[in-house]
Amino acid sequence: MQRLQFALLASLLLLVLLLPGIRSTPIDQDVDIVHYQPEQVHLSFGERTDSEIVVTWSTRSLPPDQEVGAVSVVEYGQLVDGQVRLTQQARGKATKFVDGGHKQATQFIHRVTLRDLEPNATYSYHCGSDFGWSAIFQFRTVPSASVDWSPSLAIYGDMGNENAQSLARLQQETQRGMYDAIIHVGDFAYDMNTKNARVGDEFMRQIETVAAYLPYMVVPGNHEEKFNFSNYRARFSMPGGTENMFYSFDLGPVHFVGISTEVYYFLNYGLKPLVFQFEWLREDLAKANLPENRNKRPWIILYGHRPMYCSNENDNDCTHSETLTRVGWPFVHMFGLEPLLYEFGVDVAIWAHEHSYERLWPIYDYKVRNGTLKDSPYNDPSAPVHIVTGSAGCKEGREPFKGKIPEWSAFHSQDYGYTRLKAHNRTHIHFEQVSDDKNGAIIDDFWLVKSKHGSYRN
């Protein structure tokens, strides 16, 4: 027994003597690897959708005494004959984010832009630093640098991290390569700031199974409002330099425009965001309507969280004909969005917020303006088409349709699900509504056909 004790003591003494040598590694500090491990990895388009992807992720801490860019690294390369080759490297920056809750929970958001990517190529990548690396993910760049290809997207709002019912099907379809991007039209985690931002972390981990493989484009909803949308602003990386609140990007023959409807409702943060966005939107739509731009990308699709029109039983929104997003400030009717959509010929407006799906006939100022052909209301209509798709899941339940459905509502459903968009070419665009309740069945679809694009005033 004494010999065994002596052997153990000798082993411990030897270990103590060797510890300095063991720790003489490139990392000379005490390292808690969990704190430097990348998580919540997601992608977005950069300023040039044909050649740039932004990789964003989080770590709990930053390693001590590191140079700027040394801990925000993406190693990547094209997939060749099925072989992963991480032959290129890009560096970026990490930003400290402190949640507004009582614990002041802190994390670091890393952003790295991959530039000069080849079109129609599959890239493998991982992100992190010598202190910890993510799993290896893949993404595919756009099929062509030209406008003549057919982008496919999944679009939805109001998912939540509890009862994210549509997520499993979206994961499967993403892995099958069905989409070029996803648009999440507000209301993410219910709410990101809850439990000192732990709920936001949980949600971002959930969507990594989709968002690490293709661009995940977003706009804010009312459930992101806490602490002046701080969790939303910090966690995402949309183009345009406006802290993700509004922006636009081009994809094939489509000019997409994302806006914040919340600037109309949370005026406690001031009027400047509303006025700034309105002026920006006018300029963006005017630029998109220049002949050389509208001929090149004839489709304009706008999306924001709260709808202008809806007909379910939500008495906070759908029973009011003068929604703030539609007409602007009460009584004075300044900064209303519907006149802008009409003036600049926005083809489709996509909304969420209502936990249901609804397709409208082409409409302006509550007047149906169908196409000229009796049996083809979406053939050259004289007003935008509105779609509400806020039923991806979430714990708050569905919005019922109980009363008389107005004449401007073409189709509605309470099913959980999401919308698919495919812009086939410059004249034809197709929409489908997927019901997750019905095992992925298509419960609604329609073609929007336009021989000409531009202001409806003409």
Side-chain angles (χ1 to χ4, degrees), residues 92-234:
K93 293 183 179 180
T95 304
K96 185 178 181 180
F97 169 59
V98 181
D99 175 63
H102 72 276
K103 286 189 175 181
Q104 298 286 284
T106 300
Q107 61 181 281
F108 291 84
I109 313 293
H110 303 254
R111 292 176 172 86
V112 175
T113 300
L114 311 184
R115 295 183 170 87
D116 300 320
L117 300 172
E118 296 291 331
N120 198 32
T122 298
Y123 284 84
S124 299
Y125 75 97
H126 68 173
C127 57
S129 69
D130 289 339
F131 293 83
W133 293 96
S134 72
I136 293 179
F137 303 102
Q138 293 180 3
F139 65 87
R140 188 162 189 82
T141 53
V142 298
S144 173
S146 75
V147 301
D148 293 317
W149 61 279
S150 304
S152 295
L153 297 91
I155 305 173
Y156 52 83
D158 304 77
M159 178 178 279
N161 68 331
E162 294 182 44
N163 192 40
Q165 182 167 325
S166 299
L167 183 58
R169 195 172 304 280
L170 288 163
Q171 291 167 338
Q172 185 181 53
E173 292 177 349
T174 296
Q175 292 164 10
R176 290 176 178 173
M178 289 179 58
Y179 305 116
D180 299 294
I182 280 180
I183 294 176
H184 191 145
V185 195
D187 281 8
F188 300 94
Y190 290 81
D191 297 345
M192 282 187 167
N193 63 282
T194 303
K195 297 181 181 179
N196 294 285
R198 280 179 52 199
V199 169
D201 294 334
E202 291 168 4
F203 177 79
M204 299 304 293
R205 294 185 194 111
Q206 277 181 280
I207 65 165
E208 183 183 77
T209 52
V210 172
Y213 296 91
L214 80 176
Y216 201 89
M217 309 303 286
V218 298
V219 288
N222 55 295
H223 278 274
E224 282 71 67
E225 174 270 335
K226 196 69 171 180
F227 311 123
N228 196 7
F229 300 88
S230 62
N231 269 268
Y232 171 84
R233 292 174 190 266

Side-chain angles (χ1 to χ4, degrees), residues 12-33:
L12 287 172
L13 181 61
L14 180 63
L15 181 62
V16 169
L17 291 172
L18 289 175
L19 271 176
I22 292 173
R23 293 181 60 188
S24 295
T25 64
I27 304 171
D28 291 326
Q29 302 85 9
D30 290 327
V31 174
D32 186 345
I33 194 66

Side-chain angles (χ1 to χ4, degrees), residues 11 39 53 172 263 306 311 326 375 422 457:
S11 298
E39 61 171 45
I53 288 288
Q172 185 181 53
V263 295
R306 301 200 203 204
S311 68
R326 192 176 75 83
D375 297 328
K422 186 176 181 70
R457 299 187 189 281

Side-chain angles (χ1 to χ4, degrees), residues 395-451:
K395 65 183 181 181
E396 291 189 346
R398 313 161 193 260
E399 303 284 5
F401 293 85
K402 293 180 180 177
K404 182 180 178 182
I405 302 300
E407 63 177 6
W408 41 262
S409 179
F411 183 91
H412 65 275
S413 171
Q414 290 180 260
D415 287 7
Y416 283 122
Y418 50 93
T419 304
R420 292 180 186 146
L421 176 162
K422 186 176 181 70
H424 284 263
N425 50 45
R426 303 186 191 197
T427 57
H428 289 69
I429 195 166
H430 188 234
F431 290 89
E432 296 178 332
Q433 182 63 17
V434 180
S435 169
D436 192 72
D437 291 339
K438 295 182 173 61
N439 296 317
I442 306 302
I443 57 172
D444 183 44
D445 78 293
F446 73 100
W447 286 90
L448 179 58
V449 180
K450 285 200 165 184
S451 59

